[in-house]
Amino acid sequence: MPNWNNLTSKVIQTVEADGILGLGKRGGRYLKKRFGALAKKESEPVFKDVLFIDGCGTVLPHPSRYRVSHQREQLLSYGITSDQVYFADLDLKQIGWYNVFVFFRCPLNETTEKFVKLAKRYQKTVLYDIDDLVFDTKYTDTISYVTALEKKEREAYDENVRAYGQLLDLCQGAVTTTGELSEALKLHVKEVCINRNRASEEMMQISETALNQKTEHKEVVRLGYFSGSITHNPDIEMLLPVLLKLMRQYKNLEFVSVGELEIPEELKEFADRIKILPFVDWKNLPKLISDVDINLAPLEDTIFNRAKSENKWVEASLVQVVTVASNLGAFADTIENQKTGFLCKDLKEWEETLCALIEQPRLRRKIAMQAYQFCKEAYLTTYTGKTLADFIKAKRTKNVGILLPALNISGGIMVAMWHAVFLREAGFDVTILSENTTETSCVFENQNFPVIPLREDAVSGHFDKMIATMWVTVKWLELFSNIDKKYYLVQNYETDFYEKGSPYRAMANATYCKNQIQYVTISKWCKEWLKERFEKECAYAPNGLDTRVFTPCARDFSGKIRILIEGDCGAWHKNVDESFQIVEKLDREKFEIWYLSYNSEPKEWYKPDRFLHKVPFQTVSEVYKQCHILVKSSILESFSYPPLEMMATGGLAVVRPNGGNKEYLRDGENCLLYEPENISEAVEKIMELAENETLRRHLTEGGLKTARQREWETVKQQILNLYLEAGE
């Protein structure tokens, strides 16, 4: 274990020399050296609700323990999961794994500024926590210790204070310990939660152990002062006249000091009755406090001290030691005078109160017991997290998870990504959860979305909404329990994606029978069969088209006419064979055949003039523009984008009708349809287009009109309405 006395001295020296930022850097190196194994990052992160970013770390353990560890325990007791990280180890990748971020005593620097700005772009919530008035120099200017610093030290100190305030100003709310601090913070942020310092379960357990081991020392009465830091010297000096008088009056009176306190010269005449102990690890503190009879908590009446917390009273109360405190700030707010402690407004009251307590052990025990009974309930983390939990819930941005089988942009995944864009634009925190990926982010429509690679233990945090699409992702809706509203975006009858006899048929079919899931679909055809076959009421989210990408382009039919066949020939329902059976009947002197596939290679007998494989989605429209006619022969489609995309570019489409594409295709108005398996009819339709300019012009105009009606911006609000509830 480190020597805490020496360590504290080094901390103070570092702050004086290099400021808080310098302390952070040195502290980080110290932690890595001494506690490297403990500080090792987990290899596989888990999505949680809150990330606390700690600006103090283990080098200054007392503030971090109360404002990070204890608050995490409070939140966990109210169902909110969290992690913590030292601010020097902050990584932008962590933004995707949390919904809310709480910066505790962190300065604005290049990393924290980037982190906050990116978190806000992701619609995350960023809060600031601070337990002292160290975010504005107008407050720290009142500290005598600070005003006594040398010029360079003072400049460094003030720079750090301003850095705290600058990061605070970027946040959307704050959490703090006292009413005075709350009022000061409201000059920087609109909403502030007062969540007083609390005692953790472990702290309570250690206090109970100390209490059970407590021994009576009837011959003496011990006054205890647990200073913490050297900045409290003026507080004990304020009480010096009373201490001198009492030490002279009561020969059985002893004075115990723990922490960075400089004992006034005047008290040294009582050296045999004064015990000075160094700063100790917090786990040893309850035992030391329990060994005194009266806990002293004097404070000078300054704006800085009025913002101090009531920690000293709580720590003493948990080991049944009575506290006498200055009647100001948090002490005045929380101690019930002469019932759970004593409050003194001047030296006269201090003297009278201490005399009474020195002389009346029964009074000491009575008040100490009442304070103990109160604090062990009102100040234990497990019982007191509701205020903070409610504030986090009120401030957090509602979040949406979108489940994908992969990140490669196919038609169905592109639709889900458009839904992601609309939800983020509506103010939701949107996260992509994907199978088959190690990526931590993806870009769509110039928006960067955080990505969580899916595994069984990937999510322990809360999602307001989660949307599955493609049947293989529905299992995650059932696995992750902390989801308020579950959606299944049905984009096809995926049972028939597989040939008869495949076990996947039953598995896919079973996903249409789930309870407590809201079904949403892109197709009126899907809406019909979900109702007829599975008795599922299904909301309709019309598919859209990005007409900024698929722009019109005039075609010249005077030369060789280029036919485009699109689809994966490895998927039987795409029925690519039929398209090639059609073009086999065409004169290859007059027609040229292009084949576009995202997965499978062409079969040997296809003989296309050009094969385009895995063309990036951004350049697919250029392929359409270079072709005159699309032949599409899918048996099963929920919507079928290619004919619409072809029409949007001013091209023509000869299509086999199916349940999905009939939603927007109109024979003779925006396309030509042929009867399934009627190869000769399809060939006739192609020849008619090649020869009839009037028909081509009519279908082109009809196709462009259909495409405009399907622009994403046109259908955006209709889609959003499916996910929005009253008040969102």
Side-chain angles (χ1 to χ4, degrees), residues 220-267:
V220 297
V221 175
R222 290 176 180 164
L223 303 179
Y225 182 66
F226 302 87
S227 63
S229 75
I230 201 168
T231 60
H232 288 285
N233 279 340
D235 300 323
I236 202 67
E237 289 170 1
M238 176 195 78
L239 198 57
L240 183 58
V242 174
L243 289 176
L244 286 170
K245 187 172 181 179
L246 294 177
M247 292 295 282
R248 289 170 182 149
Q249 181 177 345
Y250 298 100
K251 303 304 180 183
N252 66 333
L253 189 61
E254 294 182 354
F255 179 74
V256 179
S257 170
V258 178
E260 302 290 331
L261 178 67
E262 294 178 359
I263 297 300
E265 191 70 28
E266 295 88 337
L267 283 175

Side-chain angles (χ1 to χ4, degrees), residues 8 87 112 136 138 148 233 305 323 359 437 467 495:
T8 303
F87 85 106
T112 56
D136 192 321
K138 72 181 180 183
N233 279 340
N305 282 343
T323 294
E359 295 172 4
T437 187
I467 305 165
T495 302

Side-chain angles (χ1 to χ4, degrees), residues 35-65:
F35 304 101
L38 296 176
K40 186 179 179 182
K41 294 180 181 178
E42 293 183 5
S43 58
E44 293 187 312
V46 174
F47 177 83
K48 295 182 181 177
D49 299 307
V50 181
L51 178 65
F52 285 86
I53 300 103
D54 181 8
C56 293
T58 311
V59 175
L60 288 174
H62 182 74
S64 298
R65 180 166 60 87

Side-chain angles (χ1 to χ4, degrees), residues 410-425:
S410 63
I413 290 175
M414 181 192 69
V415 169
M417 291 303 299
W418 273 108
H419 287 212
V421 169
F422 296 154
L423 285 163
R424 176 178 281 178
E425 289 175 350

Side-chain angles (χ1 to χ4, degrees), residues 620-634:
V620 167
S621 65
E622 297 305 313
V623 175
Y624 285 121
K625 290 176 184 179
Q626 294 177 67
C627 298
H628 300 81
I629 301 170
L630 170 74
V631 174
K632 187 69 175 170
S633 53
S634 295

Side-chain angles (χ1 to χ4, degrees), residues 489-546:
L489 178 60
V490 178
Q491 300 199 54
N492 213 321
Y493 183 52
E494 293 181 84
T495 302
D496 282 350
F497 278 15
Y498 307 97
E499 296 189 28
K500 304 296 188 293
S502 169
Y504 294 121
R505 288 175 58 80
M507 294 166 68
N509 216 64
T511 64
Y512 308 125
C513 309
K514 303 296 181 182
N515 295 321
Q516 299 177 333
I517 290 178
Q518 172 63 57
Y519 284 81
V520 177
T521 188
I522 61 168
S523 165
K524 291 180 179 178
W525 168 68
C526 290
K527 184 178 173 69
E528 290 170 4
W529 59 256
L530 278 164
K531 176 65 175 175
E532 292 170 2
R533 300 184 191 180
F534 302 97
E535 297 182 345
K536 295 296 180 185
E537 294 295 337
C538 186
Y540 172 57
N543 259 356
L545 182 73
D546 189 354

